[in-house]
Amino acid sequence: MQDNVTSALLDPSHSSVSTQDKSSTGGHTSSTGPQPSKLSSITPVPAKSRNPNSGANFHRMRRIIAEDPEWSLTIVPLLTELCIQHIIKNFQRNPILKQLLPEHQQKVLNHLSPDLPLAVTANLIDDENYWLRCCMQRWPVCHVAEHGGSWKRMFFERHLENLLKHFIPGTTDPAVILDLLPLCRNYVRRVHVDQFLPPVRLLAQPQTGDQSDSGSEGEMEEPALDHYQLGDLVAGLSHLEELDLVYGVKDCGMNFEWNLFLFTYHDCHSLAATIKACHTLKIFKLTQSKVNDEKARIIIRSLLDHPVLEELDLSHNLIGDRGARGAAKLLNHSRLRVLNLANNQVHGPGAQSLAHALAHNTNLVSLNLRLNCIKDEGGQALAHALQTNKCLTTLHLGGNELSEPTATLLSQVLAINTTLTSINLSCNHIGLDGGKQLLEGMSDNKTLLEFDLRLSDVAQESEYLIGQALYANREAARQRALNPSHFMSTITASGPENSGIK
Amino acid sequence: MNPPGSLEGLEPNVDEHLSTQVLEPSVNSDNPQERIQARRLRIAARLEARRREALGEHLDGKKESEEDQSKSYKQKEESRLKLAKLLLCGTELVTNIQVAIDIREIHRRVEEDLKRQRIEKLEDEVKTSQDKFVKITSKWEEGKQKRIPQELWEMLNTQQLHCAGLLEDKNKLISELQQELKTKDDQYVKDLKKQSDDICLLLERMEEQVKNVMKTFREELYHIEKAFEMERQELLASNRKKWERALQAHNAKELEYLINRMKKVEDYEKQLNKQRIWDCEEYNTIKIKLEQDVQILEQHLQQRKAVYQLNQEKLEYNLQVLKKRDEESTVIKSQQKRKINRLQDTLNNLRSKYAKQIKQLQEENQSLTLEYKRLMTQFKELQKAVRHFALIDDEKFREIWLMNEEEAKDLIARAFDVDRIIHTHHLGLPWTAPDFWFLKNVGPISQQPQKSTTQIVEEMLLRTEEEEAEEAASESESYLDLPKQISEKTAKRILMLLCDESVRRGRAAAEGLTGVFCCRGLCRASALGIESEDDLYKLVSFFLQYRAHHLSSSLQSKPCSQASVEEASVEETSMESELELAERTEMEGEKEASLVEGEKGEEEETPPSPWVIHPNDVLKILKAFVKGLRKPRDSQAPLRVQKSVRSNSKDSEYWRALTTVIPPSRLNLWDALYTALEKYHLVLTQRAKLLLENSSLEQQNTELQALLQQYLTSKVGIRAFQGGVAGGGGGDRGQELAVGNKESPPHQRRCDVKNQQWHLETITGQRSRSCLKSPPG
């Protein structure tokens, strides 16, 4: 795999050498692997070509060109070039970079090997191109945009992620990660780990024991089932902003055991302490980790009055009403802007407490309650809350068994509210009448841009008309965005037109 | 299964949705779409126009370009809409899968109720099987007691059967559960497959979407470029066409113009010729006419000249006249100027006079004011003199009064003496001295008669004391220059102080005195302070004055303080015993107030500022005040009396009363007495005469007797003598008679005297009788 990548990487450099005869340096330093042989093959060439140059006979020279396929016009490389070559060769032992002139630095950086130990490069090299090469070498697919457009950051983040992913408590040496800490502490802003390996047990046990046994063993061994404790790592990362964790095992295949997906109380407590201590954290995601009410409350309690936290994602867990109540409390005790509780077990009371918190909240922008079971009582409470809320823009209530009463209230909200831009009511039982009422509400709304009513038993006619209204709203919003100076005039001008379209 | 069905159900819906919106506009949706398009274009055009207007550009100039632009704009808008729709529908298509899975999940969750049912079922099963098991185990015990093998065997059989039943039940349950597990497994596998299918589908769709979007974006880009290209081409073509057309038109017009010009040149030439001929003719006619005109004008000129001559003469004459007038006017002007100068002089004179007059008047005024001042001083002096004279007059008046009064009183006393003598001596009646008010009066009558009767009585009783008190009260005047000018505030303040301090003062007085007045001191003090307003004012001013001379007076006040306390206490005792004293002081205060008002004009002293008087000083001040009250001041007293306005009404009455001190009835008595006494006097004189006669007769008698004796002795003479006495009874009668009557006349006289005595006794009574008896005694 790696070979392939390197060869793929090498290929263009070869071609570039062949196309650009003058710059032989590209050929020299294209890769460190085959360098000795190449250098040896190239260095004699100028020696040969020196003779025709001294002879200064074009005819002869041309003839020699024809004869010698290795012949090149390049002259003896400059001393600086040679020095740079040397520096590059001995970079690992004697890293000299900052002392060089900028153009020489660039040359050195362009030809450094991505395999150099991180201890040397991490705090020395800031050049994006070098880290680009490092990344491209290690991973075939790189989304640098996900890492703030910085290749170096991406490299360290993914490197750390890899280490964490394959960390086996009790087996792997914790120093592996902690050694990396001083190198990456200034570059890592986001930790995204989608698997935590449990400690390895005796091989014999899982093979012999049947399900009930393993379950009992799991309970017995629970203290031993704790995953890697992030506390030290997170405390060391001074710029950490995002923490995205999944306590689970990927690609377990036929080795599946319930124990592999166990987010223990010890894990929970240590995680809570970790995030409480981390005052730079802006985004915290803990998904698909079987977080139940108790654990959710432990985590949320640690997040109360967090100075900068803006996004909390606890989707795909087992959070019920008590957890939702905790989240509601958090809403008014933090600066939370995005709350995602999708695919949990929040019922009516939980949604009501969330609605109560939402009624006078001025921070929350997005609320996702997809695939819960808040039913009409929760839906109505949320709709009431939205009548007073002036901040929320996105609301996802898909798959919540809502029906007509909620739609009635929501239609009133639509007529009043001017901040909501996106509502999702898909997979509910809004019904035909509910759809009509929503359509009525939409007719008075000028700000909503998205309104998802798929698979919610709404008549196609009203869905279509709502779509038309949304389209008009989007056009108006676009006009507003295009020329904000003519904001008022466009509104007045396009107002009647839009109504005409409807 | 439900989810795939729903998904499939969803897809045509989506397709329909897509088809309605983007791919192939159907008959139904076509019209509204186009309508929307048209409206949108209109909006865009309006917006454009508005923007233009805002930018201040000429609409006319840009109209064409706008039309040209509209095509590309249209294309852009179209493709934008198309792309937006594509994106929207694409994301919808992709998310449809998510939604479908969501709803499937919801359905699954609903199915999860089965799990609960299953658990319940299992629990029931466990319970029933437990019961059965218990039953079986109890039967084992039973079996142990069985002794008969057949019974035991039977029982064992039944037990076996029961066990088999239980086992069967359990097995059935297990098999059921396994069945269910299998189905669930199948379902799980199916779900997995379904999910992987879904994911595949999702990926496929995403890929498709990406491809579609790329393709459409590319297409749209191509379209837009093409549109722009076309527009450019069209624009070029149209411009070229326009250009060519314009050129052609230009050429044609040029030709036309040329031809026209030629035609016009010919015309003009013809016209010129015509004009020349016509002009020549006209010239001639005009020349003739003008010559005629010249002749006429010359005639006119002659006439004008004549008129001119005439006018010149007239004007010269006028000039002469005007010159003369001018001269005259200059003369008049000079005259006027002179006049003005003269008037100016007079004005100046008058001014100087006026100033002088002012000065003079001022001097006069000054002298007059000086005079006035002098007169005022004189007037004051005069007043002083008047006052002085008034004093003297009063003094004189008083002296005269006293003198007269004394005289009158002497006379009255004499009259009374006489009366008393008359009464006691003559009439033998008891005499009572009449008591009239005026008898007690000494000096001129003052306002005292206005007092109430009780007061008069009291005054009469306490006359001497009153006089003393009067004087004492009047003395206070010297201290009190301006009681009324002191502001109410200060008065109040001092009063307050006094009220506070009165208690102390009273106590201090009490300490200084014997314990007799101890308890009464307080009320007395207050009475002294408040009883009369004037007293109060006096006190106030006294306070102020005292303040002013505090340092100087403090030294003097100290040594005499002890004495003053005693004096004050003395006064207080008097006041205590006689309430009217307070009233009197009040009254006198009023009197003095009037006096003081009179004086005020002269003794205008500035009211002293309300100083804060320390409470400790109050006692001293009060002492001084009281002491001052008691100080004798003789020199002031007459002054005060003189100043009282005297009323003469009572004087005549007084004097008349003095005259009528002896009532007329008594005078009448006196008259009667007088006449009676006169008569008595007469009687007495007669009697005296008779007595004399008697004595002389007795003498004669004795002589005669002696003679008789002698005669008798001489015997011859006895007879003669008897005869001579009898004759001598009639005075000059013979002695015979005298002897005869020698015994009888004294008897007769005695009878006469006895008659006279009775008469007198009737008139004079006992005393006169005793008087009558006394002469024989």
Side-chain angles (χ1 to χ4, degrees):
Chain A
M1 174 75 180
Q2 212 163 18
D3 285 353
N4 284 338
V5 171
T6 45
S7 64
L9 277 169
L10 282 173
D11 279 339
S13 66
H14 272 291
S15 64
S16 70
V17 169
S18 59
T19 48
Q20 302 172 350
D21 285 325
K22 280 180 192 172
S23 63
S24 62
T25 52
H28 292 303
T29 60
S30 57
S31 72
T32 49
Q35 213 167 21
S37 62
K38 275 215 165 180
L39 279 169
S40 61
S41 65
I42 288 167
T43 38
V45 173
K48 280 181 192 171
S49 63
R50 212 172 288 154
N51 288 331
N53 271 347
S54 59
N57 191 331
F58 284 99
H59 295 282
R60 278 181 68 192
M61 202 162 72
R62 206 190 295 158
R63 197 171 40 179
I64 290 161
I65 292 163
E67 279 172 4
D68 187 359
E70 296 284 302
W71 190 81
S72 158
L73 272 174
T74 48
I75 51 168
V76 174
L78 296 168
L79 184 57
T80 52
E81 290 290 327
L82 292 173
C83 289
I84 287 166
Q85 294 293 337
H86 191 73
I87 286 167
I88 291 164
K89 228 196 291 176
N90 297 311
F91 200 82
Q92 190 173 345
R93 270 166 296 165
N94 186 17
I96 302 168
L97 184 67
K98 299 289 176 193
Q99 295 91 327
L100 302 177
L101 292 171
E103 65 260 37
H104 298 151
Q105 269 188 29
Q106 200 57 45
K107 260 178 199 167
V108 170
L109 287 173
N110 280 340
H111 299 113
L112 275 181
S113 157
D115 295 329
L116 285 171
L118 284 174
V120 178
T121 55
N123 288 319
L124 188 64
I125 297 171
D126 289 326
D127 185 56
E128 284 292 292
N129 271 326
Y130 172 77
W131 295 111
L132 166 71
R133 282 189 290 126
C134 289
C135 290
M136 297 302 270
Q137 187 198 24
R138 277 187 73 169
W139 301 290
V141 182
C142 298
H143 289 291
V144 75
E146 284 180 12
H147 302 273
S150 163
W151 289 97
K152 187 175 185 179
R153 185 182 147 195
M154 174 180 171
F155 180 84
F156 279 108
E157 280 172 1
R158 290 191 71 166
H159 185 61
L160 188 65
E161 183 190 331
N162 257 358
L163 287 180
L164 286 172
K165 255 183 179 174
H166 299 110
F167 186 91
I168 302 169
T171 314
T172 319
D173 185 11
V176 171
I177 290 169
L178 293 179
D179 284 346
L180 186 65
L181 195 55
L183 306 178
C184 66
R185 59 183 305 159
N186 291 322
Y187 314 110
V188 174
R189 287 168 188 275
R190 172 173 182 256
V191 173
H192 167 79
V193 186
D194 55 2
Q195 92 168 355
F196 276 98
L197 293 179
V200 173
R201 273 174 286 143
L202 293 175
L203 288 169
Q205 278 189 342
Q207 286 173 351
T208 54
D210 44 345
Q211 273 196 333
S212 63
D213 280 348
S214 69
S216 65
E217 273 159 18
E219 281 166 21
M220 283 164 67
E221 284 179 55
E222 182 148 3
L225 279 172
D226 294 335
H227 300 93
Y228 176 69
Q229 309 296 319
L230 286 163
D232 295 333
L233 176 68
V234 170
L237 297 171
S238 52
H239 296 291
L240 190 70
E241 285 176 356
E242 183 176 347
L243 204 54
D244 187 352
L245 308 174
V246 177
Y247 280 83
V249 179
K250 282 179 108 179
D251 298 328
C252 56
M254 292 309 284
N255 296 326
F256 172 83
E257 277 178 36
W258 286 109
N259 283 336
L260 298 179
F261 301 88
L262 208 66
F263 179 49
T264 65
Y265 276 100
H266 189 254
D267 283 336
C268 181
H269 280 293
S270 70
L271 184 64
T274 307
I275 51 178
K276 189 168 191 177
C278 183
H279 291 298
T280 51
L281 195 68
K282 281 187 182 165
I283 302 171
F284 178 66
K285 296 185 181 176
L286 180 64
T287 54
Q288 304 170 42
S289 304
K290 291 188 171 180
V291 177
N292 58 17
D293 277 342
E294 282 301 317
K295 292 169 185 168
R297 286 177 76 87
I298 289 165
I299 285 168
I300 284 168
R301 204 180 304 135
S302 72
L303 286 173
L304 283 178
D305 295 320
H306 195 280
V308 289
L309 190 78
E310 287 185 348
E311 184 174 344
L312 179 65
D313 187 347
L314 294 174
S315 54
H316 308 291
N317 283 310
L318 300 171
I319 298 171
D321 288 334
R322 292 181 59 230
R325 215 175 301 140
K329 193 184 173 192
L330 179 66
L331 281 187
N332 285 330
H333 284 87
S334 69
R335 309 163 81 187
L336 209 61
R337 290 168 60 78
V338 179
L339 179 64
N340 191 346
L341 291 176
N343 196 9
N344 278 299
Q345 290 166 359
V346 179
H347 292 264
Q352 279 170 345
S353 56
L354 275 174
H356 182 71
L358 194 63
H360 298 289
N361 188 291
T362 53
N363 290 320
L364 198 72
V365 171
S366 167
L367 177 65
N368 191 339
L369 289 174
R370 186 169 73 94
L371 276 178
N372 281 297
C373 194
I374 66 169
K375 302 226 170 128
D376 274 330
E377 42 179 336
Q380 281 171 325
L382 279 171
H384 275 301
L386 285 175
Q387 285 179 339
T388 53
N389 185 289
K390 296 267 174 272
C391 190
L392 198 74
T393 57
T394 311
L395 180 65
H396 198 315
L397 293 176
N400 269 311
E401 299 184 30
L402 304 175
S403 57
E404 200 182 317
T406 311
T408 323
L409 275 174
L410 262 181
S411 69
Q412 293 170 11
V413 169
L414 286 178
I416 298 167
N417 197 306
T418 55
T419 49
L420 275 174
T421 55
S422 167
I423 300 179
N424 194 328
L425 290 179
S426 57
C427 307
N428 285 307
H429 310 294
I430 301 297
L432 299 178
D433 292 335
K436 273 174 196 162
Q437 273 166 340
L438 284 176
L439 177 61
E440 274 173 35
M442 263 321 284
S443 63
D444 293 331
N445 191 299
K446 300 272 172 273
T447 49
L448 202 66
L449 304 180
E450 286 174 38
F451 196 5
D452 200 338
L453 285 172
R454 282 175 290 178
L455 290 180
S456 51
D457 304 339
V458 176
Q460 279 198 6
E461 186 192 353
S462 40
E463 201 175 338
Y464 174 72
L465 289 172
I466 287 171
Q468 293 292 331
L470 289 174
Y471 181 71
N473 284 352
R474 271 199 290 273
E475 284 299 314
R478 185 177 154 273
Q479 291 289 349
R480 250 175 278 153
L482 273 180
N483 41 358
S485 60
H486 294 260
F487 180 67
M488 293 314 291
S489 62
T490 46
I491 285 286
T492 50
S494 57
E497 301 298 335
N498 284 344
S499 60
I501 289 162
K502 268 174 241 156
Chain B
M1 287 280 291
N2 203 0
S6 71
L7 189 64
E8 280 155 22
L10 188 70
E11 278 181 87
N13 174 26
V14 169
D15 284 344
E16 193 186 54
H17 205 68
L18 266 177
S19 68
T20 50
Q21 294 205 345
V22 190
L23 298 176
E24 36 181 62
S26 69
V27 187
N28 293 334
S29 60
D30 191 28
N31 282 342
Q33 202 97 21
E34 286 198 345
R35 268 185 310 203
I36 292 164
Q37 201 71 34
R39 284 197 185 109
R40 181 146 300 115
L41 283 172
R42 210 167 59 196
I43 297 162
R46 276 183 192 171
L47 282 174
E48 189 73 15
R50 197 162 284 128
R51 206 160 53 222
R52 287 272 163 71
E53 271 182 351
L55 287 170
E57 284 177 4
H58 269 291
L59 270 177
D60 312 65
K62 294 279 171 180
K63 219 162 197 174
E64 283 176 38
S65 65
E66 193 185 323
E67 275 170 21
D68 291 341
Q69 266 186 5
S70 66
K71 197 169 180 186
S72 60
Y73 187 80
K74 204 164 146 190
Q75 179 64 38
K76 261 200 296 185
E77 199 73 9
E78 227 168 69
S79 45
R80 185 180 68 73
L81 291 172
K82 206 168 155 190
L83 287 171
K85 249 167 226 165
L86 186 72
L87 276 177
L88 196 71
C89 294
T91 46
E92 218 172 276
L93 198 66
V94 172
T95 50
N96 267 340
I97 293 166
Q98 193 203 354
V99 171
I101 290 168
D102 278 0
I103 204 153
R104 218 185 313 158
E105 172 69 16
I106 288 164
H107 285 303
R108 198 184 64 75
R109 280 188 189 176
V110 171
E111 277 170 21
E112 270 178 8
D113 284 350
L114 288 176
K115 202 158 68 180
R116 199 163 38 79
Q117 286 172 7
R118 199 189 309 136
I119 288 164
E120 276 172 20
K121 210 169 91 185
L122 278 174
E123 278 170 1
D124 284 353
E125 174 65 32
V126 165
K127 222 177 260 175
T128 53
S129 60
Q130 196 72 28
D131 288 350
K132 276 180 186 169
F133 184 69
V134 167
K135 221 185 269 174
I136 291 164
T137 44
S138 66
K139 272 186 180 170
W140 285 123
E141 293 294 317
E142 229 172 87
K144 274 180 188 169
Q145 292 161 1
K146 296 258 164 83
R147 293 281 176 259
I148 301 158
Q150 279 86 357
E151 276 184 11
L152 191 65
W153 187 75
E154 238 171 64
M155 200 210 69
L156 279 172
N157 268 348
T158 52
Q159 282 291 75
Q160 207 169 3
L161 273 173
H162 278 300
C163 285
L166 188 64
L167 279 175
E168 207 174 311
D169 278 358
K170 286 280 176 192
N171 278 334
K172 212 167 125 193
L173 188 67
I174 287 164
S175 65
E176 259 175 39
L177 284 175
Q178 272 174 346
Q179 198 77 27
E180 215 168 315
L181 185 68
K182 207 174 260 175
T183 54
K184 280 280 166 188
D185 267 344
D186 285 352
Q187 203 180 331
Y188 175 67
V189 171
K190 268 185 203 163
D191 276 358
L192 270 183
K193 208 178 271 174
K194 185 76 210 161
Q195 278 183 353
S196 64
D197 283 354
D198 278 349
I199 287 166
C200 283
L201 191 67
L202 187 69
L203 284 174
E204 209 173 283
R205 279 192 188 174
M206 277 161 80
E207 219 156 288
E208 204 179 315
Q209 170 72 6
V210 168
K211 267 184 208 163
N212 255 334
V213 168
M214 294 266 273
K215 208 176 84 186
T216 43
F217 263 86
R218 218 165 268 149
E219 266 175 27
E220 291 308 318
L221 187 69
Y222 174 71
H223 280 309
I224 290 169
E225 274 180 1
K226 213 166 128 188
F228 270 106
E229 189 67 28
M230 259 171 64
E231 200 180 302
R232 188 170 153 275
Q233 293 289 347
E234 273 174 26
L235 210 66
L236 274 175
S238 67
N239 281 356
R240 194 168 289 149
K241 256 186 218 163
K242 231 190 254 173
W243 175 247
E244 277 171 11
R245 227 182 296 141
L247 262 184
Q248 273 183 1
H250 181 75
N251 282 343
K253 267 187 185 165
E254 201 90 327
L255 205 69
E256 208 176 305
Y257 288 148
L258 201 71
I259 292 162
N260 278 349
R261 196 172 168 276
M262 300 262 273
K263 267 184 199 167
K264 265 182 190 166
V265 165
E266 278 174 23
D267 275 358
Y268 288 147
E269 246 165 63
K270 270 182 201 168
Q271 275 181 5
L272 271 173
N273 282 334
K274 228 190 259 176
Q275 196 75 24
R276 259 181 219 140
I277 293 160
W278 190 71
D279 277 351
C280 274
E281 283 171 11
E282 209 177 36
Y283 173 75
N284 287 333
T285 52
I286 284 171
K287 201 181 173 184
I288 292 160
K289 200 179 163 190
L290 284 173
E291 274 169 4
Q292 279 176 355
D293 282 354
V294 164
Q295 281 174 4
I296 291 162
L297 285 171
E298 269 173 10
Q299 276 179 4
H300 269 283
L301 186 70
Q302 293 298 328
Q303 278 176 358
R304 286 292 127 189
K305 268 181 185 169
V307 170
Y308 168 73
Q309 205 85 22
L310 202 70
N311 279 345
Q312 205 174 15
E313 275 169 21
K314 265 186 195 168
L315 284 170
E316 268 169 16
Y317 172 72
N318 279 346
L319 187 70
Q320 292 295 329
V321 171
L322 283 173
K323 266 179 188 168
K324 276 227 173 117
R325 279 196 185 158
D326 192 37
E327 278 168 21
E328 275 172 25
S329 69
T330 49
V331 169
I332 288 164
K333 220 189 264 175
S334 62
Q335 273 177 355
Q336 290 292 339
K337 264 180 189 167
R338 249 174 282 144
K339 215 178 200 174
I340 284 165
N341 285 334
R342 224 182 307 136
L343 286 171
Q344 200 78 32
D345 288 349
T346 53
L347 182 67
N348 285 335
N349 283 338
L350 284 170
R351 263 191 196 145
S352 60
K353 253 185 210 169
Y354 173 66
K356 235 183 268 170
Q357 199 107 22
I358 282 169
K359 216 181 271 172
Q360 206 177 329
L361 283 170
Q362 271 174 352
E363 279 166 18
E364 212 169 316
N365 194 16
Q366 273 180 351
S367 63
L368 283 171
T369 47
L370 284 172
E371 185 87 357
Y372 169 71
K373 273 176 194 164
R374 198 173 52 79
L375 282 172
M376 279 306 287
T377 51
Q378 274 179 359
F379 172 66
K380 272 176 193 167
E381 277 166 19
L382 197 65
Q383 266 184 340
K384 228 182 266 176
V386 164
R387 222 173 296 132
H388 179 67
F389 284 127
L391 280 176
I392 290 164
D393 284 351
D394 277 355
E395 187 73 23
K396 262 183 199 165
F397 172 71
R398 194 178 154 77
E399 276 167 16
I400 289 164
W401 180 287
L402 284 173
M403 194 185 74
N404 284 332
E405 206 171 41
E406 216 171 298
E407 224 168 287
K409 280 200 181 148
D410 279 350
L411 287 172
I412 288 165
R414 271 175 62 193
F416 281 160
D417 280 346
V418 168
D419 196 29
R420 185 168 50 91
I421 291 163
I422 286 168
H423 271 76
T424 49
H425 293 209
H426 292 273
L427 299 178
L429 293 171
W431 185 80
T432 50
D435 49 357
F436 296 111
W437 58 271
F438 45 81
L439 293 181
K440 275 115 195 163
N441 190 31
V442 175
I445 295 166
S446 55
Q447 299 299 325
Q448 283 161 5
Q450 285 178 353
K451 287 175 188 173
S452 63
T453 50
T454 52
Q455 279 175 332
I456 291 166
V457 171
E458 280 157 5
E459 265 174 359
M460 283 157 85
L461 285 171
L462 307 162
R463 185 173 177 132
T464 49
E465 279 175 9
E466 187 187 352
E467 275 168 0
E468 277 179 29
E470 230 173 344
E471 278 183 3
S474 66
E475 281 161 16
S476 63
E477 189 196 38
S478 64
Y479 290 87
L480 319 165
D481 290 330
L482 16 117
K484 296 222 167 154
Q485 284 170 337
I486 289 146
S487 65
E488 287 279 331
K489 254 189 203 172
T490 350
K492 212 173 212 173
R493 188 157 191 168
I494 287 165
L495 184 59
M496 296 271 280
L497 266 174
L498 196 64
C499 283
D500 283 346
E501 207 54 27
S502 63
V503 179
R504 275 213 263 164
R505 197 186 79 104
R507 275 179 198 156
E511 280 164 24
L513 287 168
T514 53
V516 183
F517 312 114
C518 177
C519 57
R520 294 168 187 172
L522 300 180
C523 61
R524 241 174 292 142
S526 65
L528 190 78
I530 302 167
E531 209 116 20
S532 78
E533 208 183 357
D534 272 321
D535 277 353
L536 178 69
Y537 281 130
K538 281 174 213 166
L539 200 62
V540 169
S541 66
F542 184 77
F543 265 89
L544 299 174
Q545 280 188 345
Y546 184 85
R547 274 303 289 193
H549 307 290
H550 179 67
L551 290 172
S552 58
S553 63
S554 62
L555 289 168
Q556 296 172 347
S557 66
K558 265 185 185 174
C560 61
S561 61
Q562 185 58 40
S564 69
V565 166
E566 282 171 4
E567 281 170 342
S569 67
V570 167
E571 196 190 57
E572 278 162 8
T573 55
S574 71
M575 280 172 73
E576 181 204 23
S577 59
E578 304 143 11
L579 278 169
E580 77 275 1
L581 186 69
E583 290 169 358
R584 177 178 40 77
T585 48
E586 193 178 348
M587 206 165 58
E588 279 158 7
E590 281 172 36
K591 217 185 274 175
E592 278 156 12
S594 65
L595 291 175
V596 167
E597 272 183 329
E599 287 177 349
K600 231 185 278 172
E602 289 121 45
E603 308 173 7
E604 280 257 356
E605 278 180 30
T606 51
S609 61
W611 289 310
V612 179
I613 295 160
H614 197 269
N616 292 345
D617 293 336
V618 174
L619 187 60
K620 284 184 207 166
I621 296 165
L622 282 171
K623 279 174 189 172
F625 174 67
V626 171
K627 190 184 160 195
L629 270 172
R630 303 286 297 177
K631 221 184 260 176
R633 232 170 309 107
D634 300 327
S635 59
Q636 297 288 338
L639 189 81
R640 183 188 62 80
V641 175
Q642 283 158 9
K643 276 167 193 172
S644 63
V645 179
R646 278 198 47 84
S647 67
N648 296 322
S649 58
K650 293 273 173 177
D651 290 0
S652 55
E653 202 179 314
Y654 175 68
W655 292 116
R656 209 173 298 138
L658 281 180
T659 55
T660 57
V661 83
I662 307 292
S665 60
R666 195 163 288 182
L667 283 178
N668 286 342
L669 178 68
W670 283 7
D671 285 343
L673 192 62
Y674 181 69
T675 48
L677 282 175
E678 212 119 286
K679 273 177 193 166
Y680 182 50
H681 187 250
L682 209 74
V683 170
L684 282 177
T685 46
Q686 272 178 352
R687 195 173 159 204
K689 250 180 241 171
L690 284 174
L691 278 172
L692 286 172
E693 212 176 306
N694 197 16
S695 57
S696 64
L697 282 176
E698 259 177 39
Q699 217 174 344
Q700 275 176 357
N701 209 4
T702 51
E703 283 170 10
L704 285 170
Q705 261 176 346
L707 282 170
L708 194 48
Q709 226 53 44
Q710 277 170 359
Y711 197 68
L712 275 169
T713 45
S714 56
K715 294 200 186 164
V716 179
I718 300 176
R719 272 185 206 164
F721 177 68
Q722 280 179 337
V725 171
D732 290 304
R733 287 170 201 170
Q735 280 179 333
E736 295 167 342
L737 263 176
V739 175
N741 282 347
K742 208 182 123 185
E743 302 261 322
S744 64
H747 284 281
Q748 262 193 328
R749 275 180 210 143
R750 223 169 271 156
C751 284
D752 283 345
V753 169
K754 274 185 183 172
N755 281 336
Q756 275 174 348
Q757 267 180 337
W758 182 81
H759 266 290
L760 276 170
E761 268 170 6
T762 52
I763 296 163
T764 57
Q766 199 63 40
R767 209 175 281 184
S768 59
R769 212 178 295 153
S770 61
C771 285
L772 282 175
K773 277 172 185 171
S774 58

